[in-house]
Amino acid sequence: MSILDAPSARVGTDSGRQQKYAQFPDGTKIGRRMRYTVGRQGSGCDVICDGVADDVEINAALLFLHNHNNFTGWALEFSDESFYIASSILRQAYVSMFGQGARATQFIAAAGLAGGMQKLVPGAIQFLNDSSYRMVGGSAGAPTNAGCFAMQFVAQPLAAQGNAGGLWNSSFSDIQIDFFDNGIQSIGTLDNSALLPQQFVNFIDVDVNVEGTTGYALDMRGQHGQVTFDSCTLQNRVSTNRVGTIARHGRSTDTVFPGNVTFKNKCTFQNARRAIDVYGASQVHVDDNWFENLAESVRLDGGGVGHVVERNRFANAGSVGDGSGYLLYMGNAVGAEFGGNTILGAFDEIAIGSNVLYFYPRPNTISGTALVGRSSGITKQLAAATSDTLITGHTEFPAVQCSATQINNISCEMLPNQELTIRLIANGGQTTQAFGNSGNIDLGGRASPLTVSAGALVTFKVSDLIARRLILKSVSTG
């Protein structure tokens, strides 16, 4: 008997084993495992799909389990290695979906799909714990439905729940998304008119490969909190010419923004113009990830604070060849920390900013090369043509343009025994930089002026807290 044949089934408890079951009018009990199986014809599963419009059977099963088994832990288990043709799959609270692996259980987008394949019904959708399936939007270079998302999680109010809604306390793991124009969209309330957050949500080992150059692997807007992406891949599958944006958080037209969003443990961003684009969001943590083949890695704008970008690996992740690339941009009263990163390959700027509220850089390992004629935005030579002082409120000079003006002072906020390393780069025809000891620079017994060629690394050590005298430690080729 199919569970869908008996809408009057009730939920009970086997008193001897304390396990849940569904009991049908004829007395049949099924589901002591807390999962109902879904399969194709001949599989003997609880729910049978025919491979035509499988979302009909899937949605009926999800609704049935939600209505009759309204507590955490119930799930549809797609038990056989097969594919399912689906339009919109409507996610109900408390009911998860399990497959047999990304290459075994596949949901294929039907033609005519609008918006997204997976969607939220109104109300607070809680305790979805999905794993081990693949969502397929078409074929390589040819999504079946233009502009669609694989997962379109838009919070919707439900009057019976006090107009609350959104996705809560849920996780998605070991899921692959291929051949859609867009990957995951998550939208909470945009104007505080209702309690519609997306909160306590984890994406673990989710691999998103979008097509084209105008879509997003991740589009997050509105009220969010405690959202984590762990060991995920977010990329444009075909855009090796570095156009488009991979992950977007907030827009300038919104009044409510995401907060406390984390990317960690080797998340991979590659093949786009920009990897992470944040506007208005706060406490976006980007920790221990991989950025590659990008013009702009992380852009923080719109006034959010508490951002941390640390321990990441950037490989050719800040240049598109026109001099406008960067690893980190900060604008419009943003506050951020940046440190412990490994920077490889070409980049135009390491970090640049406009109207920055605060910026706390820490040492980074830099073996890449800033493009000729560009200085690092983390710290840069200020008024070099008219002043002999290099000024920074930070702890590191990854790249400084050579100037004809001798540098006698370095104004910084470093602590005693901390080291400051300057990478000199050519500035047009100026290929050397002179350092003198008439200010707070101590050349360590070397003759003044000391002339150093572009490409060299010049390292100083801070000797005391009051005068912050900088003693030359070494000069080496870059």
Side-chain angles (χ1 to χ4, degrees):
M1 176 181 290
S2 168
I3 63 170
L4 306 183
D5 296 333
S8 59
R10 65 181 179 84
V11 172
T13 301
D14 186 325
S15 59
R17 301 177 63 185
Q18 291 297 310
Q19 291 181 313
K20 301 291 183 176
Y21 61 82
Q23 181 170 322
F24 294 89
D26 66 355
T28 302
K29 297 179 182 180
I30 63 174
R32 287 180 176 175
R33 61 199 175 281
M34 296 178 67
R35 296 187 185 184
Y36 292 125
T37 56
V38 182
R40 300 292 292 275
Q41 293 288 347
S43 64
C45 292
D46 300 320
V47 180
I48 302 300
C49 294
D50 57 11
V52 178
D54 297 323
D55 52 291
V56 174
E57 290 82 9
I58 293 170
N59 285 331
L62 290 170
L63 181 59
F64 176 89
L65 291 177
H66 170 74
N67 287 337
H68 291 85
N69 307 302
N70 198 356
F71 59 90
T72 62
W74 292 89
L76 289 182
E77 180 177 0
F78 294 81
S79 62
D80 58 350
E81 297 183 4
S82 190
F83 64 88
Y84 302 87
I85 306 297
S87 291
S88 294
I89 298 175
L90 304 178
R91 304 309 305 270
Q92 308 282 345
Y94 309 113
V95 187
S96 304
M97 299 198 311
F98 296 92
Q100 301 302 313
R103 294 297 176 180
T105 303
Q106 303 190 49
F107 299 98
I108 312 297
L113 172 65
M117 179 181 278
Q118 290 196 37
K119 297 180 178 180
L120 303 179
V121 300
I125 310 304
Q126 302 183 63
F127 301 108
L128 306 187
N129 295 288
D130 286 21
S131 69
S132 305
Y133 58 77
R134 184 186 187 203
M135 304 179 70
V136 182
S139 57
T144 302
N145 304 285
C148 280
F149 286 85
M151 297 177 174
Q152 189 180 44
F153 295 152
V154 181
Q156 302 181 66
L158 183 63
Q161 297 179 357
N163 287 325
L167 181 64
W168 293 67
N169 303 102
S170 296
S171 68
F172 301 83
S173 62
D174 299 312
I175 294 171
Q176 185 167 337
I177 296 173
D178 289 319
F179 310 136
F180 284 85
D181 272 342
N182 297 280
I184 301 168
Q185 185 176 56
S186 182
I187 300 181
T189 183
L190 299 172
D191 58 9
N192 272 330
S193 61
L195 182 63
L196 300 173
Q198 317 276 42
Q199 197 163 10
F200 307 110
V201 182
N202 297 308
F203 295 87
I204 305 168
D205 287 317
V206 176
D207 188 358
V208 184
N209 304 279
V210 296
E211 299 289 311
T213 58
T214 59
Y216 301 91
L218 173 64
D219 184 20
M220 180 180 293
R221 298 178 61 196
Q223 187 177 3
H224 287 76
Q226 297 99 326
V227 179
T228 299
F229 295 84
D230 187 336
S231 305
C232 296
T233 296
L234 303 170
Q235 67 178 348
N236 189 316
R237 192 185 64 83
V238 297
S239 180
T240 56
N241 57 340
R242 304 184 188 181
V243 294
T245 298
I246 294 175
R248 176 174 63 172
H249 306 268
R251 299 181 189 174
S252 59
T253 54
D254 300 338
T255 56
V256 180
F257 303 95
N260 198 244
V261 179
T262 299
F263 299 93
K264 67 176 185 177
N265 290 340
K266 311 304 185 295
C267 284
T268 298
F269 303 86
Q270 58 189 11
N271 299 343
R273 172 77 195 191
R274 184 177 298 161
I276 299 177
D277 190 347
V278 175
Y279 189 96
S282 59
Q283 291 180 300
V284 176
H285 287 211
V286 184
D287 182 5
D288 191 23
N289 303 298
W290 182 286
F291 294 81
E292 185 175 11
N293 194 29
L294 302 161
E296 305 164 6
S297 287
V298 180
R299 182 180 179 89
L300 307 174
D301 207 343
V305 297
H307 303 300
V308 178
V309 181
E310 64 180 1
R311 301 192 305 167
N312 301 286
R313 186 178 181 91
F314 297 94
N316 293 316
S319 176
V320 73
D322 62 3
S324 64
Y326 53 78
L327 304 182
L328 175 66
Y329 172 86
M330 300 161 292
N332 193 13
V334 160
E337 299 179 35
F338 184 84
N341 302 287
T342 298
I343 300 170
L344 307 170
F347 56 88
D348 296 333
E349 304 270 9
I350 290 183
I352 56 178
S354 174
N355 190 29
V356 177
L357 179 63
Y358 68 82
F359 180 46
Y360 301 136
R362 300 190 303 277
N364 297 277
T365 301
I366 304 168
S367 59
T369 303
L371 298 186
V372 173
R374 304 292 292 178
S375 63
S376 166
I378 286 184
T379 53
K380 58 185 177 180
Q381 191 163 336
L382 302 178
T386 58
S387 172
D388 69 346
T389 301
L390 202 58
I391 303 174
T392 177
H394 313 309
T395 62
E396 187 177 11
F397 286 8
V400 173
Q401 289 177 311
C402 291
S403 168
T405 303
Q406 178 174 305
I407 298 174
N408 298 310
N409 294 279
I410 297 177
S411 176
C412 66
E413 297 179 358
M414 299 174 64
L415 299 176
N417 293 320
Q418 284 188 309
E419 293 183 358
L420 173 84
T421 297
I422 297 171
R423 176 187 293 274
L424 295 174
I425 61 173
N427 182 12
Q430 185 67 39
T431 59
T432 61
Q433 176 65 56
F435 294 88
N437 58 8
S438 62
N440 73 335
I441 292 177
D442 184 336
L443 296 178
R446 302 197 188 194
S448 177
L450 174 66
T451 300
V452 183
S453 298
L457 299 176
V458 185
T459 300
F460 297 90
K461 177 179 285 189
V462 179
S463 64
D464 64 275
L465 185 61
I466 304 302
R468 287 194 173 88
R469 189 162 181 81
L470 279 83
I471 303 173
L472 180 65
K473 180 179 179 181
S474 66
V475 178
S476 61
T477 57

